[in-house]
Amino acid sequence: MQFFGGSDISPSPPVATGSGSNGHMMYVFNRNGICLLYREWNRPLRTLNSQQDYKLMFGLLFSLKSFTAKMDPTSVDKGNLGVPQLPGQGCSFHSFRTNTYKLSFMESPSGIKIILVTNPKTGDLRESLKYIYNLYVEYVVKNPLYSPGTPIKCELFNTSLDQYVKNLA
Amino acid sequence: MAPLAPRSGDAVFANVERVNAELFTLTYGAIVRQLLTDLEEVEEVNKQLDQMGYNIGIRLIDEFLAKSNVSRCVDFKETADVIAKVGLKMFLGVTASVTNWDVDGTSCSLVLEDNPLVDFVELPDTCQGLYYCNILSGVIRGALEMVSMKTEVTWVRDMLRGDDAYELRLKLLKQVPEEYPYKDDE
């Protein structure tokens, strides 16, 4: 993409082999639980109003992180269940799959959580999530009109995101 | 696919977009000059520079994490090393050395031999209390706060005031872990 100047620092977008709608929806949260972004491409079933939906999603991930860290058989030092952890500490889970969808998750040490829900046949999306994080940096963080901690309203970010997710395998 | 290994400061610096050093230095100089004209009090300017640095730092941290691929630092020692070798290199093009650790490992000094912000600068007698590079202390404080560390960053040595190098004292006040933000009864 032009704005990266052809550098290979950010992972170059994984080769596009998919066609059309693959992504169902996407959430971006910050460390305080505020939903910065919610994008929906294909979601026939909606059970809760949006505020409850975000809280449920955030709460789920918060608990899952805590739980996976506690159940880690390899780590020596485990916090007690319920003790808040520093973002990025402990083992970090990255996806779960059901028979109808796959949820992929990435958290940066600064507490930005990116969640992408796709169809269950999707492969490992960690590189894609890193690429989306780079998009976030370029279009949102560097945007002087955006105040950190508020919902994202940048058209350019939304368009490039839609374009990228459309092409995900 | 295995996650990318963290890149060294030089590798990251080679890959980010760069701007002309003189443009950067002169722009910063113009900012400080304007602040002095607007605020007149040297203490006020110091505070304002620190605040500006803080606002920069809270955004800079995401760019740093995205481009340099470092994972969470295990302790404050590693944090200081990463700031000195990768962070400063990536954004300023210079590295610093980390010295003077105190007994608990919560306080250290970052020593910069070279500082691109101060090329061509001399402080006049009317501005002797000015910390010209105070924006840097704000940036580090802001960035560390976004990774759950509350710190205090102060200047110990400043070449513009006659010392032989730039030395920043970095003190970790506390680590603030993430808490569940919603109240249970909502």
Side-chain angles (χ1 to χ4, degrees):
Chain A
M1 300 201 78
Q2 289 309 99
F3 62 88
F4 284 149
S7 70
D8 60 353
I9 263 275
S10 50
S12 39
V15 174
T17 57
S19 59
S21 56
N22 182 4
H24 288 275
M25 59 233 204
M26 178 168 147
Y27 299 77
V28 178
F29 290 100
N30 75 356
R31 57 190 303 136
N32 296 323
I34 301 178
C35 182
L36 301 179
L37 183 77
Y38 170 66
R39 297 292 287 169
E40 186 178 289
W41 298 286
N42 178 15
R43 188 180 187 178
L45 175 65
R46 225 168 276 122
T47 49
L48 304 161
N49 75 31
S50 27
Q51 285 310 312
Q52 289 177 320
D53 190 48
Y54 304 154
K55 281 215 306 228
L56 182 65
M57 180 59 81
F58 186 81
L60 163 77
L61 294 166
F62 193 85
S63 315
L64 257 179
K65 266 192 315 168
S66 190
F67 173 73
T68 51
K70 180 69 181 164
M71 295 297 287
D72 187 356
T74 61
S75 125
V76 168
D77 168 46
K78 288 181 269 207
N80 294 316
L81 194 61
V83 169
Q85 296 226 303
L86 301 167
Q89 204 177 40
C91 70
S92 48
F93 89 96
H94 50 85
S95 60
F96 69 73
R97 199 197 306 253
T98 71
N99 53 342
T100 48
Y101 68 89
K102 177 175 185 183
L103 183 145
S104 308
F105 170 74
M106 185 195 96
E107 184 181 18
S108 78
S110 58
I112 301 293
K113 304 173 188 18
I114 304 182
I115 296 114
L116 191 57
V117 178
T118 53
N119 77 47
K121 291 193 281 309
T122 316
D124 187 2
L125 283 179
R126 271 180 287 185
E127 289 307 312
S128 308
L129 287 175
K130 273 220 207 76
Y131 184 74
I132 293 178
Y133 185 48
N134 273 290
L135 281 182
Y136 166 77
V137 164
E138 291 295 322
Y139 285 124
V140 178
V141 170
K142 288 188 177 177
N143 183 347
L145 299 177
Y146 168 70
S147 333
T150 58
I152 298 171
K153 291 184 169 55
C154 310
E155 265 321 298
L156 253 134
F157 180 56
N158 293 341
T159 7
S160 46
L161 201 57
D162 287 345
Q163 214 177 3
Y164 178 63
V165 172
K166 226 172 10 153
N167 290 325
L168 274 182
Chain B
M1 194 159 118
L4 295 167
R7 294 161 185 258
S8 72
D10 293 321
V12 185
F13 184 57
N15 274 317
V16 293
E17 281 175 16
R18 273 161 285 171
V19 75
N20 181 303
E22 280 177 18
L23 174 63
F24 180 63
T25 308
L26 294 175
T27 306
Y28 183 67
I31 292 176
V32 178
R33 191 82 186 75
Q34 192 59 42
L35 280 175
L36 280 167
T37 315
D38 289 340
L39 299 171
E40 287 170 26
E41 283 285 306
V42 159
E43 259 323 298
E44 276 305 308
V45 176
N46 285 340
K47 263 201 287 198
Q48 190 70 0
L49 281 174
D50 187 73
Q51 184 59 35
M52 283 167 66
Y54 179 80
N55 291 332
I56 293 176
I58 62 181
R59 295 175 189 248
L60 204 77
I61 183 68
D62 277 316
E63 182 175 1
F64 174 69
L65 291 170
K67 299 223 162 100
S68 69
N69 242 326
V70 296
S71 54
R72 173 131 214 123
C73 293
V74 174
D75 57 14
F76 192 59
K77 280 206 166 69
E78 196 182 333
T79 308
D81 277 329
V82 166
I83 295 176
K85 302 280 176 280
V86 187
L88 286 176
K89 180 75 188 168
M90 183 170 155
F91 292 109
L92 283 184
V94 294
T95 49
S97 47
V98 187
T99 56
N100 281 355
W101 277 104
D102 72 345
V103 181
D104 317 317
T106 56
S107 193
C108 68
S109 291
L110 288 175
V111 181
L112 287 129
E113 301 295 324
D114 187 21
N115 187 344
L117 292 173
V118 302
D119 290 338
F120 323 130
V121 175
E122 248 177 54
L123 282 187
D125 295 325
T126 49
C127 303
Q128 282 308 312
L130 180 68
Y131 284 113
Y132 187 81
C133 310
N134 218 23
I135 207 168
L136 280 182
S137 58
V139 170
I140 295 178
R141 186 171 63 93
L144 286 178
E145 189 164 314
M146 294 308 277
V147 281
S148 323
M149 285 182 248
K150 273 204 142 45
T151 53
E152 199 179 275
V153 186
T154 45
W155 287 100
V156 174
R157 280 189 288 166
D158 190 337
M159 267 167 122
L160 294 176
R161 293 177 171 213
D163 301 312
D164 51 351
Y166 294 97
E167 185 177 330
L168 268 171
R169 190 86 196 146
L170 215 62
K171 182 164 146 68
L172 176 68
L173 297 172
K174 64 177 187 164
Q175 304 247 27
V176 190
E178 203 171 298
E179 286 179 350
Y180 189 64
Y182 305 124
K183 295 192 265 300
D184 280 334
D185 52 13
E186 281 182 346

